[in-house]
Amino acid sequence: MFLEREYLSPEQLNGFDNYKYNCKDTGLLSIYVMHPFWNWVVQYCPKNIAPNLLTFTGFLCTIGMYLMLMVMDYDFTASDPDHPEVAPLPRWVWFMAGLLLFVGYTLDGIDGKQARRTGTSGPLGELFDHGLDSYTAGLIPATMYSIFGRGSHYSVPPFRMFFTMCNVLVNFYLSHFEKYNTGVMFLPWGYDFTMCGMIITFLITSLFGSDLWQYSIFGITNGMFVEGTLYFFSAITNWPIVLHNIYKSYKDGTGHMRSFPEAIRPLIPLILCYYITYLWMAWSPSNIIEKDPRALFFLMGTIFSNISCRLIVAQMSSTRCDWFSPMFLPMLLAIAVTAVTKLAWLELFLLYALCFGTSLAHIHYGTCLVRQMCRHFKINCFTIKKRSD
């Protein structure tokens, strides 16, 4: 049947059978603020609610936030002073965005605690959680972009926003690349600070409007400040720590001790994803990054989520990571066709077709993956089986 395809090999299923959860969280905000809050919240969650249901509900909250801003500000122009003909978004939109993000973040924080409360912890929950996170990692930055707009006066143009999104996605990917080599998930400090900062930013915008962020100090706009802050903290709190942890695992002999080509193998599809997207921008006959940045960002985020899920499967099952995604092929074909024909309408059509096709392919991959694991472990995804079952 259509949803019965088995993407997991017997070797990967065997790896999941032997999987042991190994995670370290040293973030100060996480330890002293968020975990105590989540421990308090989870007490009010009925024990008959499956952890994966909490995870999926939180994911839907983030999707709802993204869709709301996509409908109301598709071109990222509502907060842009370069487009005075576009009315600013109502302040309730920013409040709803902050509320939905807060609920989604909270549910994502208590799902693991609910799993331990109900005795339903297992590899499916971790795979399901991180797989959905990989999708929202590409959607959330686009919602923040609506606050600042796409103009050059107080924000950054879409071309530079592309690199900012790449930076955000790299930070997510490196945590799983790190675990692929060390066997330990070191939760990055920046995640909790970023999520809390975004929630607060949405709520402040709901009180004072997006005009609050339109300022320039000594020639440095707010958009430039946010852009530089993201790069700076990634460079000091994430990348060097990942490299240090991998180096230490090799030095102490505690990791998987893969050869150098095998250790860096997961980076190949990530680099290809970014390079192919950049290639499209460079060869675009209609300047596609200015024509429809949202669709291009969405396409890149969907492909990124797919290669991330494949990496998560590999690191959890202790198997070899894929180096190439089948989704690259239609994207390369679309780039070649548009570069040769130089037809702007055809380029947009192919971009929208790829967004639709890759989304269906990725949803099919994730759905079949979850169903296969449920059959293998004899569990349900969204309900807790009774002990008599």
Side-chain angles (χ1 to χ4, degrees), residues 27 125 174 335 344:
L174 284 181
I335 294 172

Side-chain angles (χ1 to χ4, degrees), residues 51-162:
N52 288 337
L53 187 59
L54 297 177
T55 306
F56 191 64
T57 304
F59 171 74
L60 292 180
C61 287
T62 306
I63 293 294
M65 176 187 68
Y66 177 82
L67 291 177
M68 176 182 68
L69 287 168
M70 182 185 75
V71 170
M72 303 194 71
D73 183 32
Y74 184 85
D75 295 324
F76 305 111
T77 54
S79 301
D80 188 355
D82 292 344
H83 293 271
E85 74 280 3
V86 181
L89 293 180
R91 294 188 181 182
W92 66 262
V93 172
W94 305 119
F95 176 78
M96 284 301 302
L99 179 62
L100 287 170
L101 186 60
F102 171 75
V103 174
Y105 177 47
T106 301
L107 292 176
D108 188 46
I110 68 172
D111 55 3
K113 299 179 184 298
Q114 177 73 351
R116 288 184 283 276
R117 287 178 75 221
T118 56
T120 55
S121 298
L124 174 61
E126 183 177 346
L127 176 63
F128 192 72
D129 185 4
H130 292 163
L132 294 181
D133 286 345
S134 70
Y135 215 159
T136 58
L139 301 181
I140 293 177
T143 62
M144 286 295 292
Y145 197 32
S146 286
I147 290 182
F148 307 109
R150 60 186 288 177
S152 57
H153 277 90
Y154 301 106
S155 183
V156 294
F159 184 77
R160 280 168 55 186
M161 182 60 190
F162 163 75

